[in-house]
């Protein structure tokens, strides 16, 4: 019976060889995934479409571009405080953005999420 070659533990900074195929040494077990408790439920369907229509009729231009002195048509309904970070899914937390501005904001939010998730891996 053949076995896979030993590989280093996938925990950052750990070099212990793992032979069981799990990818983690006994000192660094992988945490079970759980949905965040404070995450807000998303609005979907016709209610969402009505909210988008209302937002774009009130604010047809990208708010970030306007702040920078540019004029660009808004195409994305965005949450100022991301739902994953506890922001509400209502009109108090929405803004109209263009695709490029939304992509920049999403990339920054994603990087924050990655930093948050890796923060638990620091050795004491």
């Amino acid at each position: 019976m053949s076995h896979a070659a030993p590989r280093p533990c996938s925990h950052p900074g750990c070099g212990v060889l793992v032979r069981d195929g799990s990818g983690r040494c006994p000192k660094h077990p992988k945490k079970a995934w759980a949905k965040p408790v404070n995450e807000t439920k998303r609005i979907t369907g016709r209610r969402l479409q009505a909210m988008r229509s209302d937002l774009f009729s009130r604010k047809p231009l990208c708010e970030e571009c306007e702040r920078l002195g540019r004029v660009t048509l808004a195409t994305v309904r965005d949450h100022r405080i991301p739902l994953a970070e506890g922001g509400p899914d209502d009109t108090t937390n929405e803004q109209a953005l263009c695709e490029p501005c939304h992509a920049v904001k999403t990339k920054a939010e994603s990087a924050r999420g990655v930093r948050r998730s890796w923060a638990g891996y620091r050795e004491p």
Side-chain angles (χ1 to χ4, degrees):
M1 181 172 178
S2 65
H3 294 281
R7 299 175 62 181
C9 174
S10 61
H11 181 81
C14 182
V16 174
L17 292 178
V18 179
R19 292 176 168 78
D20 65 1
S22 69
R24 293 293 184 106
C25 68
K27 185 178 175 185
H28 302 112
K30 200 164 197 136
K31 295 176 184 174
W33 181 85
K35 189 173 182 176
V37 176
N38 64 344
E39 191 167 333
T40 307
K41 185 174 181 342
R42 288 185 175 273
I43 294 173
T44 59
R46 290 185 181 181
R47 184 169 169 214
L48 172 64
Q49 295 307 317
M51 289 175 79
R52 281 176 45 86
S53 177
D54 179 52
L55 173 65
F56 296 141
S57 65
R58 285 184 287 119
K59 301 176 184 177
L61 300 178
C62 173
E63 293 180 36
E64 183 64 18
C65 287
E66 279 187 307
R67 193 178 69 74
L68 298 171
R70 300 184 304 230
V71 177
T72 310
L73 191 64
T75 57
V76 179
R77 176 184 177 258
D78 180 67
H79 298 97
R80 293 178 196 279
I81 302 169
L83 299 182
E85 294 177 6
D89 195 4
D90 59 19
T91 56
T92 64
N93 189 35
E94 69 182 7
Q95 65 181 341
L97 295 178
C98 63
E99 286 288 339
C101 289
H102 183 256
V104 168
K105 182 175 179 284
T106 300
K107 189 173 182 179
E109 289 168 356
S110 177
R112 268 198 324 264
V114 168
R115 281 194 303 273
R116 258 194 324 269
S117 67
W118 281 99
Y121 288 114
R122 293 201 177 99
E123 294 290 327

